[in-house]
Amino acid sequence: MKLSFRKKDNPKRHLLIPEANQSRGEDQRFEQSILLEAAEHASEKKSIEDLKADLQTAMDLELSTIPPYLSALYSIKEGTNLESVEIIKSVVIEEMLHMVMVANLLNAVGGTPSIGTFTPNYPSQLPGNVMPQLIVPLAPFSIDSIRTFEKIEHPEGALQFLSEKDKELARNSADPSFTGIGEFYKAIKDTLIKLEKEAQNKGESIFTPNRNQVSDEQYYGSGGKIITVNNLTDAIQLIDEIVGQGEGTLGTIFSQEYDPKDDDYKLFGPDVEEYAHYFRFKEIRFGRFYAVTDSAHRDSPNKGLPTGQPFKVDWGAMYNFRPNPKLSDYDKGSAVYEKSLEFSKTYTALLKNINLACNGQPDQLIKGVTLMYDLKYKAMELMKIPLDDGRYTAGPCFEIVDCD
């Protein structure tokens, strides 16, 4: 079964609504205000070098979500959970797209992307002090994994982890420090606007047109339109696209009451094919697609949950690899160590391939197709090797190793 989530330039997909049980009214306005204040504060006194560092962190942030998503995807047994496979795969493709687009932006402001020198040591926090309460593991396909993915993509960011008491403390704090992915990108956008305004006042620009850009012609994925950056308008469009595809947005903590006549919350159906990651993961957790008549609003009759066509989710149809596998778990020279090393070499080669593409050799990107297939099959080989404890199998490590 082939599912498509692609719909370019569709503003409705940029809407993400918090879950039905979140706080409302005054709390909503408070939550939005502290996120906005934190983002604005983060953009103050930023230099062009600070911006470049933040964009590198954004690339690391995008990269850090890929191994957890791939681990769950690869662990699903062949021929099962077809809808879930397509949903997770579509998200992975978009995360890779985001990483390449951030590299385009970093190149446009004179930076040098670095891909293949960093990978998280799972279980790990997300880079950039984004939602520091959230610890992300490498784990098999399960309802707990999907819940973690929803937390990563949650529109409220770190606020989802706060009790009402902690929110009250934050209300009285002079230093709002909540971070979510949307807030992180909001700070970057504010910095871009500020620095470009300062440059234009001097008759200059922070952007260099056509510098080391990867375009649709080279990108082999199918997760939306890749945006090249030549000016501030392009940069803002790029950030809005990344945020809108599901990685949290400050524009979604709504204080307006539910209005059944308001179509803004009707985000689903054949004319809105590409909706946010957060909602796609909810479809897996509930084993249902969103119906055309479903609303994303938490006070709607469907409470923001999917009520459309059901599909089968078999949580047991997966390879139960030991969470957070590492090369150091295995004896050097053993068969499982060698297979784990080969997987990590392929992963490292894939990242280096993307790095070359984002540093002036965009035609190299097509080679990543073969590497992605190799990565999948090597992961599946590992997960068919039982460990001595009889409970788990081996699993993919996603470590950076010497692959020359």
Side-chain angles (χ1 to χ4, degrees):
M1 181 178 181
K2 181 66 176 176
L3 303 179
S4 173
F5 294 95
R6 296 221 297 146
K7 185 80 172 180
K8 298 178 183 179
D9 303 323
N10 191 327
K12 279 195 173 184
R13 74 161 182 254
H14 293 187
L15 299 175
L16 293 173
I17 319 302
E19 288 187 277
N21 60 356
Q22 298 297 326
S23 58
R24 302 173 184 177
E26 182 182 351
D27 282 340
Q28 284 180 318
R29 289 186 288 273
F30 156 67
E31 290 162 5
Q32 186 176 33
S33 67
I34 60 174
L35 286 171
L36 288 168
E37 287 170 12
E40 290 166 1
H41 177 73
S43 69
E44 294 175 1
K45 300 181 181 179
K46 289 276 188 175
S47 68
I48 190 68
E49 295 305 316
D50 292 328
L51 173 62
K52 292 175 185 177
D54 288 345
L55 288 170
Q56 180 61 52
T57 299
M59 292 175 58
D60 294 341
L61 177 60
E62 300 295 344
L63 174 62
S64 69
T65 66
I66 294 173
Y69 294 167
L70 283 179
S71 293
L73 176 64
Y74 292 158
S75 73
I76 297 174
K77 291 186 175 180
E78 303 92 318
T80 69
N81 292 303
L82 300 182
E83 294 84 359
S84 297
V85 166
E86 289 297 327
I87 290 172
I88 299 173
K89 188 188 301 181
S90 73
V91 173
V92 170
I93 290 172
E94 286 181 359
E95 298 294 0
M96 296 186 74
L97 173 72
H98 296 169
M99 184 169 63
V100 172
M101 289 203 301
V102 175
N104 277 351
L105 178 50
L106 179 54
N107 274 314
V109 297
T112 301
S114 177
I115 303 169
T117 58
F118 163 83
T119 192
N121 181 21
Y122 299 97
S124 174
Q125 295 174 317
L126 296 173
N129 195 34
V130 171
M131 289 184 285
Q133 303 93 329
L134 179 61
I135 304 299
V136 181
L138 300 181
F141 179 70
S142 69
I143 194 166
D144 287 339
S145 293
I146 296 301
R147 285 181 183 274
T148 297
F149 300 164
E150 286 183 49
K151 290 175 182 177
I152 292 172
E153 309 287 0
H154 200 288
E156 285 189 312
L159 287 167
Q160 67 182 293
F161 302 105
L162 294 183
S163 66
E164 292 305 313
K165 180 180 178 181
D166 288 337
K167 287 180 180 179
E168 181 62 28
L169 291 174
R171 189 195 304 272
N172 298 317
S173 172
D175 182 24
S177 58
F178 304 101
T179 53
I181 294 177
E183 177 192 345
F184 182 80
Y185 276 109
K186 171 67 165 59
I188 288 176
K189 183 161 70 171
D190 288 346
T191 300
L192 283 163
I193 294 170
K194 180 181 78 72
L195 292 177
E196 178 64 2
K197 181 179 180 180
E198 292 173 353
Q200 289 189 357
N201 287 339
K202 302 175 184 178
E204 302 171 353
S205 174
I206 63 173
F207 297 97
T208 301
N210 303 314
R211 183 175 185 269
N212 292 345
Q213 298 292 293
V214 177
S215 68
D216 277 338
E217 294 180 2
Q218 291 94 24
Y219 188 70
Y220 55 83
S222 57
K225 178 182 178 181
I226 194 163
I227 297 171
T228 56
V229 180
N230 295 302
N231 50 50
L232 181 61
T233 299
D234 295 338
I236 291 174
Q237 181 188 2
L238 182 148
I239 290 176
D240 288 346
E241 179 76 3
I242 290 175
V243 170
Q245 282 185 338
E247 305 200 78
T249 174
L250 295 178
T252 60
I253 302 174
F254 294 106
S255 57
Q256 71 183 69
E257 298 294 328
Y258 172 64
D259 180 355
K261 297 179 182 178
D262 189 348
D263 288 337
D264 283 347
Y265 295 102
K266 297 291 181 66
L267 308 183
F268 315 108
D271 63 330
V272 189
E273 296 179 30
E274 184 187 272
Y275 42 90
H277 300 172
Y278 175 70
F279 293 112
R280 299 187 213 173
F281 288 133
K282 290 187 86 68
E283 288 184 321
I284 296 176
R285 181 153 66 92
F286 288 94
R288 283 183 178 273
F289 293 112
Y290 277 95
V292 177
T293 55
D294 282 342
S295 169
H297 199 290
R298 56 193 169 195
D299 292 333
S300 66
N302 63 292
K303 303 298 183 185
L305 304 178
T307 67
Q309 179 183 353
F311 58 88
K312 184 176 182 180
V313 180
D314 185 351
W315 299 110
M318 54 80 180
Y319 295 104
N320 190 33
F321 71 84
R322 180 183 290 161
N324 308 308
K326 294 177 173 56
L327 275 169
S328 59
D329 293 340
Y330 312 120
D331 294 330
K332 285 188 176 182
S334 65
V336 66
Y337 177 88
E338 293 301 323
K339 286 187 179 294
S340 296
L341 180 60
E342 285 303 310
F343 176 88
S344 288
K345 285 183 177 180
T346 303
Y347 179 60
T348 303
L350 174 64
L351 296 185
K352 288 189 173 183
N353 168 263
I354 299 173
N355 189 63
L356 287 173
C358 294
N359 281 280
Q361 302 180 51
D363 291 338
Q364 291 287 321
L365 202 58
I366 192 65
K367 296 181 180 179
V369 175
T370 301
L371 291 170
M372 282 296 293
Y373 278 113
D374 287 348
L375 200 68
K376 173 184 175 181
Y377 292 125
K378 287 176 180 178
M380 293 172 65
E381 284 181 5
L382 274 169
M383 288 186 282
K384 292 178 181 178
I385 301 175
L387 298 182
D388 292 339
D389 59 13
R391 179 183 177 187
Y392 295 111
T393 70
C397 299
F398 292 96
E399 296 181 22
I400 303 296
V401 298
D402 185 1
C403 60
D404 295 330

